[in-house]
Amino acid sequence: MQKRIQIVCTWSGVIAAVIVGVGLLLLAKFIPPPHPDDPASTFVAQYQHNLVGIRVGVTLMIITLALLVPWSIVIAARTRRVEGSMPILTYGQIAAIPFGFAVNTMASVSWLAAAFRVGSADAETIRLFTDVGWFLFLIVWPIFSVWCVLIAAAIFTNQSGRPFFPRWVGYFNLWCALAFVPGFTVVFFKTGPLAYNGILGFWLSTIFFFVWLAVMTVEMLKLINLDTPDDEHRDASEWLGVSTHHADPRLPKAVTDTTVAR
Amino acid sequence: MRQRVSLLWLVMLLMTLASWSLGIEEVSRPAAASMFGTLVLSIAYIKVRFIGLDFMELRDSPIALRLMFEIYAAAVMLLVIVLYLVA
Amino acid sequence: MRPARSNADQANTRRPVREPEIYRASVGTYVFGDMPTSQGRRTPHAAVPDRHVPGEPGLWVFIFGDLSVFAVVFAVYLWYRMHEPGIFAASQQQLEPAYGAAYTMLLLTSSLLVAQGVYAHRSYAATGIARRCLLGGQLCGMAFVVLKIVEYHSKIADGLTITANSFYLCYYIVTGLHLFHVILGIGVLTFLLNLAGKAPTLRREAYIEGGASFWHMVDLLWLIIFPLIYLAR
């Protein structure tokens, strides 16, 4: 049962990533981002030419960011399994996940608000709301870097003897943590490679984020496939103090026989 | 092995000084400046290879890793030199 | 009647079972074990066996990845240079190659010291030599940071900030990103100093090799940056 839940959650993340791509790229045409240096009228024109596409695409983004939460929780849950009695890295991940995705969702809300009042608000306000959206999208890099470092730490300090990600995934997470760093520059520049449409400000972090999603998904699926029913029983005994071994295998797998594990 | 690394350090130091003197040469013709620039970048490639193969000990590493490093170094320096000359 | 299966048959039909990487990694004995040196005595370590991955394989994912990011940054610099050669040529005249050469020599020396530190740790030459070499390398790195702050300060005092023109934008991006890596490297060297002070195990040796490789990577990047930015007009 747990295995099925994990697989569903992992695949929900894959679907999420694909839909975000479709939503932002094709429907909303928000990738590539607009030039921050363009006059405000360009921004208004971009909204007016594609109003429905932007609204639908960005709404899809909000939905799929929510779908990425169960995906992320699978990593946290597996980290819990390899941690000991004080699962700090697990708690850290559980805290980082909503932080990051909530702020990204606010970015979508900002764009939707701009699209909502594109007829009546003045051009500079529309541009400002678009800027705020891009800032929220990119400025949230620290928590994603912290999240990657937490995963790497979990991989490197795993002494539990239970299967977990291979060590190269830890190094890969460290690399991604570094790659997200240039996001802080977008508030300083309106043009150039460090602006929110620039190669270092936007493209590096975004491409890395999707590559990171892909790599982690593949490794997660490999890891989940290694699970055996014994793992579930061991988890139950260790963390719940109960055993799900029951006398009659025809009975449903409810916790009917509670034997205290020693 | 220690002697080799120390020797390479000295060699690279001398190459740095040579590059420096080549780089600050005042040349009138842009073609000559490009030539010096290419020379300086090529010296850099040699230094990069020394660091990778001897300091990072990739000479004794599995062929795949060493090949990856050689390809990376060659590709990056080629890209840099080509883009430098195109300007 | 079917003939009895002999052992030979079984051997032929059984596929070789390769333990998934994940198991090996999770037990923590991926490339090295927590094996202390034999009998606790300090015996000279055998010469590095042929075809040995410095550090561990996963680390090279990180190193090549970082090198690729820098390759992109170099390409950005050269792309801007292609589009505004006049500004780049004029601004490059304002740089002082003496700084660049000093940085290069500092980093080359620090790489040498770090490499010697690794060798010393590996061969248990004498107590403390490894630590002293690594510390020397770290001090050179810190000198680099100090000199870099001096250079930045003099530039900014002259009004040549990151927004001055496109050359200085690229200059500060490239050197700033490299400076960040130098600072990270100093942190890594601190970790290695800590390790070198403890009883040597194969695992610690691998970490020291790996950390040293990261420092050599930082040096390698500067060897490309120095001619590219300071010298190649």
Side-chain angles (χ1 to χ4, degrees):
Chain A
M1 187 42 151
Q2 268 188 353
K3 193 162 174 170
R4 215 173 302 154
I5 295 177
Q6 288 177 68
I7 293 184
V8 166
C9 290
T10 311
W11 278 104
S12 77
V14 173
I15 295 170
V18 168
I19 297 181
V20 162
V22 164
L24 282 184
L25 195 62
L26 296 176
L27 286 176
K29 299 196 176 60
F30 262 22
I31 292 178
H35 286 275
D37 219 16
D38 276 345
S41 50
T42 320
F43 281 76
V44 176
Q46 184 189 21
Y47 278 97
Q48 281 171 334
H49 285 159
N50 194 17
L51 203 56
V52 175
I54 288 180
R55 285 178 173 161
V56 172
V58 175
T59 311
L60 280 179
M61 181 173 151
I62 297 183
I63 297 174
T64 54
L65 283 175
L67 281 180
L68 277 173
V69 171
W71 179 90
S72 324
I73 286 297
V74 173
I75 305 181
R78 298 205 71 98
T79 310
R80 177 71 182 89
R81 196 188 259 178
V82 301
E83 279 196 285
S85 58
M86 202 186 333
I88 302 175
L89 299 174
T90 309
Y91 293 159
Q93 288 180 46
I94 297 176
I97 293 162
F99 186 163
F101 291 131
V103 178
N104 273 339
T105 306
M106 292 202 285
S108 315
V109 171
S110 181
W111 291 324
L112 287 176
F116 197 56
R117 292 292 181 193
V118 71
S120 50
D122 75 293
E124 194 52 53
T125 313
I126 299 291
R127 185 161 73 158
L128 189 60
F129 266 81
T130 313
D131 289 338
V132 169
W134 283 110
F135 285 171
L136 287 169
F137 190 71
L138 296 169
I139 272 291
V140 76
W141 67 271
I143 195 62
F144 283 101
S145 286
V146 166
W147 184 13
C148 287
V149 168
L150 287 172
I151 298 179
I155 296 174
F156 291 139
T157 58
N158 173 24
Q159 303 282 350
S160 70
R162 305 186 68 175
F164 201 46
F165 296 107
R167 286 182 71 96
W168 71 263
V169 172
Y171 286 107
F172 177 74
N173 272 297
L174 285 180
W175 179 29
C176 289
L178 272 188
F180 293 147
V181 167
F184 77 93
T185 55
V186 299
V187 297
F188 292 98
F189 293 89
K190 294 202 178 64
T191 59
L194 298 176
Y196 65 67
N197 67 334
I199 190 169
L200 291 176
F202 170 74
W203 288 104
L204 193 73
S205 323
T206 311
I207 293 177
F208 259 93
F209 182 69
F210 282 99
V211 169
W212 177 80
L213 280 181
V215 168
M216 294 304 287
T217 307
V218 166
E219 290 299 322
M220 276 155 72
L221 288 172
K222 272 202 244 172
L223 206 56
I224 294 171
N225 281 326
L226 284 177
D227 265 353
T228 60
D230 280 336
D231 288 312
E232 232 176 283
H233 295 147
R234 215 182 344 164
D235 282 341
S237 314
E238 283 172 7
W239 311 134
L240 300 177
V242 301
S243 168
T244 57
H245 283 290
H246 40 262
D248 190 347
R250 290 170 301 176
L251 286 175
K253 283 195 179 208
V255 181
T256 44
D257 295 339
T258 57
T259 57
V260 176
R262 278 167 220 286
Chain B
M1 182 134 58
R2 288 191 210 179
Q3 316 302 58
R4 186 184 168 85
V5 160
S6 306
L7 185 66
L8 282 177
W9 169 76
L10 201 57
V11 166
M12 284 199 281
L13 227 53
L14 294 172
M15 289 204 287
T16 307
L17 291 171
S19 298
W20 184 12
S21 62
L22 279 177
I24 60 179
E25 281 265 333
E26 284 299 326
V27 281
S28 45
R29 292 192 341 265
S34 293
M35 193 182 67
F36 280 135
T38 314
L39 201 57
V40 155
L41 289 172
S42 312
I43 295 179
Y45 170 64
I46 299 174
K47 284 196 262 178
V48 160
R49 268 199 88 222
F50 276 146
I51 292 269
L53 293 180
D54 291 290
F55 282 70
M56 286 186 181
E57 298 181 311
L58 287 178
R59 218 181 272 276
D60 298 318
S61 66
I63 310 278
L65 190 62
R66 177 168 173 185
L67 203 62
M68 219 169 8
F69 173 75
E70 299 275 23
I71 291 175
Y72 170 85
V76 167
M77 291 317 291
L78 200 64
L79 175 79
V80 164
I81 291 180
V82 163
L83 286 179
Y84 164 74
L85 287 173
V86 165
Chain C
M1 196 170 93
R2 213 179 273 176
R5 270 186 159 212
S6 67
N7 278 345
D9 276 13
Q10 280 195 327
N12 288 340
T13 53
R14 192 183 303 138
R15 271 187 315 193
V17 172
R18 219 175 114 248
E19 228 183 64
E21 235 175 48
I22 293 170
Y23 274 112
R24 294 217 306 268
S26 69
V27 180
T29 58
Y30 187 39
V31 181
F32 38 74
D34 264 304
M35 295 184 276
T37 53
S38 54
Q39 292 122 38
R41 287 184 293 115
R42 294 192 140 199
T43 52
H45 187 87
V48 176
D50 272 17
R51 306 298 154 208
H52 151 90
V53 176
E56 64 174 307
L59 175 68
W60 291 92
V61 168
F62 180 76
I63 290 187
F64 279 112
D66 223 5
L67 290 173
S68 311
V69 168
F70 266 92
V72 168
V73 174
F74 294 151
V76 166
Y77 171 87
L78 286 163
W79 187 88
Y80 271 92
R81 182 171 174 276
M82 223 178 356
H83 287 252
E84 292 177 53
I87 295 184
F88 269 63
S91 307
Q92 266 182 312
Q93 303 283 9
Q94 295 169 320
L95 291 179
E96 283 139 54
Y99 272 119
Y103 293 135
T104 311
M105 300 212 239
L106 274 175
L107 282 183
L108 281 175
T109 313
S110 75
S111 262
L112 174 72
L113 287 169
V114 165
Q116 297 287 21
V118 170
Y119 296 149
H121 179 87
R122 201 186 276 158
S123 61
Y124 314 134
T127 333
I129 279 200
R131 292 203 74 194
R132 266 175 271 156
C133 286
L134 289 174
L135 191 65
Q138 198 183 37
L139 287 174
C140 289
M142 294 198 224
F144 179 101
V145 174
V146 167
L147 200 58
K148 184 67 79 170
I149 293 177
V150 167
E151 189 192 7
Y152 277 179
H153 181 78
S154 79
K155 289 263 168 339
I156 293 177
D158 284 340
L160 301 170
T161 60
I162 190 169
T163 46
N165 60 33
S166 59
F167 170 78
Y168 280 104
L169 179 70
C170 294
Y171 167 78
Y172 280 107
I173 292 177
V174 173
T175 54
L177 195 60
H178 182 260
L179 182 66
F180 176 60
H181 279 76
V182 170
I183 295 174
L184 271 183
I186 292 178
V188 167
L189 283 176
T190 311
F191 171 60
L192 295 191
L193 272 173
N194 198 350
L195 283 183
K198 301 184 188 166
T201 67
L202 283 176
R203 173 191 277 265
R204 287 193 183 126
E205 208 170 285
Y207 277 155
I208 290 182
E209 258 181 13
S213 289
F214 178 76
W215 185 258
H216 293 316
M217 181 199 78
V218 169
D219 185 17
L220 193 154
L221 289 169
W222 181 259
L223 288 175
I224 305 179
I225 295 176
F226 168 53
L228 187 63
I229 297 200
Y230 287 83
L231 298 179
R233 314 253 163 109

